[in-house]
Amino acid sequence: MPKPDVDPTVTLDLRVDRSSPVPLYFQLAQQLEAAIEHGSLTPGSLLGNEIELAARLGLSRPTVRQAIQSLVDKGLLVRRRGVGTQVVHSQVKRPLELSSLYDDLESAGQRPATNVLVNTVVPASAEVAAALGVAEETEVHRIERLRLAHGEPMAYLTNHLPSGLLDLDTAQLEATGLYRLMRTAGITLHSARQSIGARGATAAEAERLDEPEGAPLLTMQRTTYDDTGRAVEFGDHIYRPTRYSFEFQLLVRP
Amino acid sequence: MPKPDVDPTVTLDLRVDRSSPVPLYFQLAQQLEAAIEHGSLTPGSLLGNEIELAARLGLSRPTVRQAIQSLVDKGLLVRRRGVGTQVVHSQVKRPLELSSLYDDLESAGQRPATNVLVNTVVPASAEVAAALGVAEETEVHRIERLRLAHGEPMAYLTNHLPSGLLDLDTAQLEATGLYRLMRTAGITLHSARQSIGARGATAAEAERLDEPEGAPLLTMQRTTYDDTGRAVEFGDHIYRPTRYSFEFQLLVRP
DNA sequence: TCAATCCGTATGTCCGGACAATCGAACTAC
DNA sequence: GTAGTTCGATTGTCCGGACATACGGATTGA
């Protein structure tokens, strides 16, 4: 009795366009990712060896390897020496990104709304100054926003930004998210340090979020840096835990 | 008046050992990382161009690029075409890892202690079965642990594992963390899906954690997968938010 | 029957070179 | 003086090849 092919090697219809300005390895990576997403490449299936794949596409092996490596870094593929490259079994959708609440809600199909309650310039407190890396009492922007989904308050967002970085228009802040505004202004976000905790609501917080005093709240503090290392934003957010939780996927770095 | 050198190009004493089994690019990456950590490479300083660096080390450019790229992926370096590679200004320590509470506490200098309260085999509930990808009522391991730091309860950890994966010895569970046990058993952790939220403590939870009933708790649910895509662990944890919060650093993937 | 060994296969590492794209500064023209 | 242009420097992409290393199955031996 022949052994069943549990992990068949899949042959795909792959093509690259050499006249395109898009790098070849990137074109290949996109097609492979699409094939995985689409289901043409099923979990566990082998990808065929790199040499033959390169020959079939008319590419060199380093180029093919670069494409595969980018998907390995994303957690979609697993390489095994002497075995081959196969699609990861688990349902890895997307690794953790530096996400904004606005984008999260929008992609979840909720229509987020924002009320800008404060949009002003204040002298930096000690905590804000330390987070942003400026001197105490330096003037910084302060915005406070109430984020709603389906008309219900979901989070209260307090943010501080160095002045001069961005002109914060209240109308724009109500129409989109802060991160999107920063990116539009040409700021390249690079990394962020964040802390997630919980505590009971103060009277003022309870009022704003329509919760009883002392109700459990989910809290998040985040300092975001651009690629030059400047702190570009310090946020202090509180969330209603019945309406929101942090969900994300992690990859293990070997 | 001459313009001050704000971003000097640094020349380091780098060497590679070709007789070592450690890959050359990895040796170089380690030395560069050590130089950054140690302060020899200060934030903002340029790394010198790749060609010349390769020549100085007697390596090829692809090898040097591979070393640099690994540090770029870690968020320690930034490359700019036409400019060079420079050390990131901000204090990027380490990106987010799939960390275990035990390791976190240990590296923070706290001496964690664990009381194993339950270590048994039970039929899987609907929730556990869905998370682990097994049929309902399948036998699974269930462990409940109270984690203490400095003698104070810090978290209550409930975990379920597929049976047959690991023999869970209570003594070992009290001496080290679950992830370390799994790694020792040859399981390669690959990814995890987790959800962080908050809620009030039930009477039983409050008792276990020495908190008043209804006190805010930080909650985390996590399903961990190995590199074959199997779910290897499902955890449901509650933390005392006055004692613990999740702190981590994110990188933006462009 | 079972264990140790061999071997094919696939990825891992490394080389040296070539050209393209982009950034920043120096230079030129108005 | 200012704006546009040129040009050097540096990384980005891609090639073709070579050898090392590890995994898994087949073969061989006890």
Side-chain angles (χ1 to χ4, degrees):
Chain A
M1 188 163 58
K3 201 170 64 175
D5 284 351
V6 279
D7 286 338
T9 300
V10 180
T11 38
L12 280 175
D13 182 32
L14 297 169
R15 258 161 312 188
V16 291
D17 175 10
R18 299 196 85 99
S19 67
S20 162
V22 178
L24 300 178
Y25 78 90
F26 195 79
Q27 292 183 37
L28 177 54
Q30 279 185 318
Q31 289 183 44
L32 290 175
E33 187 168 0
I36 293 170
E37 191 77 20
H38 177 267
S40 315
L41 278 176
T42 55
S45 59
L46 288 167
L47 206 58
N49 77 57
E50 298 169 351
I51 314 262
E52 190 251 345
L53 190 57
R56 222 173 69 218
L57 286 163
L59 297 173
S60 72
R61 189 179 162 216
T63 303
V64 172
R65 272 184 73 79
Q66 195 175 358
I68 293 177
Q69 188 59 46
S70 70
L71 297 183
V72 171
D73 289 341
K74 281 192 184 181
L76 294 171
L77 299 177
V78 177
R79 326 176 83 139
R80 279 170 210 267
R81 199 184 271 195
V83 178
T85 305
Q86 51 185 316
V87 182
V88 164
H89 255 101
S90 64
Q91 56 284 47
V92 179
K93 285 302 177 203
R94 51 195 69 200
L96 182 54
E97 294 168 6
L98 179 54
S99 64
S100 78
L101 176 58
Y102 189 90
D103 292 343
D104 283 351
L105 292 175
E106 198 173 52
S107 63
Q110 322 225 18
R111 292 236 308 130
T114 308
N115 291 342
V116 176
L117 303 179
V118 174
N119 183 358
T120 182
V121 173
V122 299
S125 68
E127 184 188 21
V128 170
L132 293 180
V134 301
E136 221 171 307
E137 302 298 322
T138 309
E139 294 219 317
V140 294
H141 279 285
R142 177 189 181 95
I143 57 177
E144 295 182 31
R145 296 168 292 166
L146 183 66
R147 182 85 86 208
L148 310 137
H150 299 305
E152 284 276 331
M154 170 166 267
Y156 192 83
L157 318 171
T158 304
N159 290 80
H160 290 86
L161 290 80
S163 62
L165 196 70
L166 195 63
D167 59 328
L168 292 163
D169 182 58
T170 297
Q172 283 187 315
L173 279 171
E174 302 208 325
T176 184
L178 179 59
Y179 277 17
R180 208 174 290 180
L181 282 181
M182 293 207 284
R183 273 189 258 257
T184 308
I187 298 171
T188 310
L189 269 27
H190 176 262
S191 63
R193 172 155 278 282
Q194 58 181 53
S195 172
I196 297 177
R199 59 178 168 78
T202 66
E205 290 168 345
E207 155 95 38
R208 291 194 280 242
L209 289 175
D210 198 17
E211 289 269 349
E213 189 174 342
L217 294 181
L218 192 57
T219 67
M220 191 262 276
Q221 286 190 305
R222 170 153 69 186
T223 310
T224 312
Y225 303 89
D226 73 357
D227 56 359
T228 70
R230 281 185 309 184
V232 294
E233 178 253 340
F234 171 65
D236 196 337
H237 300 177
I238 56 178
Y239 304 86
R240 296 174 78 180
T242 53
R243 306 266 164 182
Y244 188 75
S245 61
F246 292 95
E247 315 227 356
F248 48 89
Q249 189 134 6
L250 305 182
L251 295 177
V252 177
R253 301 229 153 270
Chain B
M1 191 162 57
K3 201 169 65 173
D5 283 352
V6 278
D7 285 337
T9 300
V10 180
T11 38
L12 281 176
D13 182 31
L14 297 169
R15 259 162 310 186
V16 290
D17 175 12
R18 300 194 84 99
S19 67
S20 162
V22 178
L24 300 177
Y25 78 90
F26 195 80
Q27 292 184 37
L28 178 53
Q30 278 185 319
Q31 289 184 45
L32 290 175
E33 187 168 359
I36 293 170
E37 191 77 20
H38 178 267
S40 315
L41 279 175
T42 55
S45 58
L46 288 167
L47 205 58
N49 77 59
E50 297 168 352
I51 314 264
E52 189 250 344
L53 190 57
R56 223 173 69 217
L57 286 163
L59 297 173
S60 72
R61 190 180 162 216
T63 303
V64 172
R65 272 184 72 78
Q66 193 174 1
I68 293 177
Q69 187 60 47
S70 70
L71 297 183
V72 171
D73 289 340
K74 280 192 183 180
L76 294 170
L77 298 177
V78 177
R79 328 176 82 139
R80 280 171 212 268
R81 198 183 272 195
V83 179
T85 305
Q86 53 186 314
V87 182
V88 164
H89 257 99
S90 63
Q91 56 285 48
V92 179
K93 284 301 175 203
R94 51 196 68 202
L96 180 56
E97 294 167 7
L98 179 54
S99 62
S100 78
L101 175 58
Y102 189 89
D103 291 343
D104 283 352
L105 292 175
E106 198 172 53
S107 63
Q110 322 223 17
R111 291 237 308 132
T114 307
N115 292 342
V116 176
L117 303 179
V118 174
N119 183 358
T120 181
V121 173
V122 298
S125 68
E127 184 189 22
V128 169
L132 292 181
V134 300
E136 221 171 308
E137 303 298 322
T138 309
E139 294 220 315
V140 294
H141 280 285
R142 176 190 183 94
I143 57 177
E144 295 182 33
R145 295 168 293 165
L146 183 66
R147 183 85 84 207
L148 311 135
H150 298 305
E152 284 276 331
M154 167 166 270
Y156 192 84
L157 318 171
T158 304
N159 290 80
H160 288 87
L161 290 81
S163 61
L165 197 69
L166 196 61
D167 58 328
L168 292 162
D169 181 60
T170 296
Q172 283 187 315
L173 279 171
E174 302 209 324
T176 183
L178 180 59
Y179 278 17
R180 207 173 289 179
L181 281 181
M182 293 207 284
R183 275 189 257 258
T184 307
I187 298 171
T188 310
L189 270 26
H190 176 261
S191 63
R193 169 154 282 282
Q194 58 180 53
S195 172
I196 298 176
R199 58 176 168 79
T202 66
E205 290 168 344
E207 156 95 37
R208 292 194 279 241
L209 289 176
D210 198 16
E211 289 269 348
E213 189 174 343
L217 294 181
L218 191 58
T219 67
M220 191 263 275
Q221 286 189 303
R222 171 152 71 185
T223 309
T224 311
Y225 303 89
D226 74 357
D227 56 0
T228 70
R230 280 185 311 184
V232 293
E233 177 253 342
F234 172 65
D236 195 338
H237 300 177
I238 56 178
Y239 303 87
R240 295 175 78 181
T242 53
R243 306 267 164 182
Y244 188 75
S245 62
F246 293 95
E247 314 227 356
F248 48 90
Q249 189 134 5
L250 304 182
L251 295 177
V252 179
R253 300 231 151 267

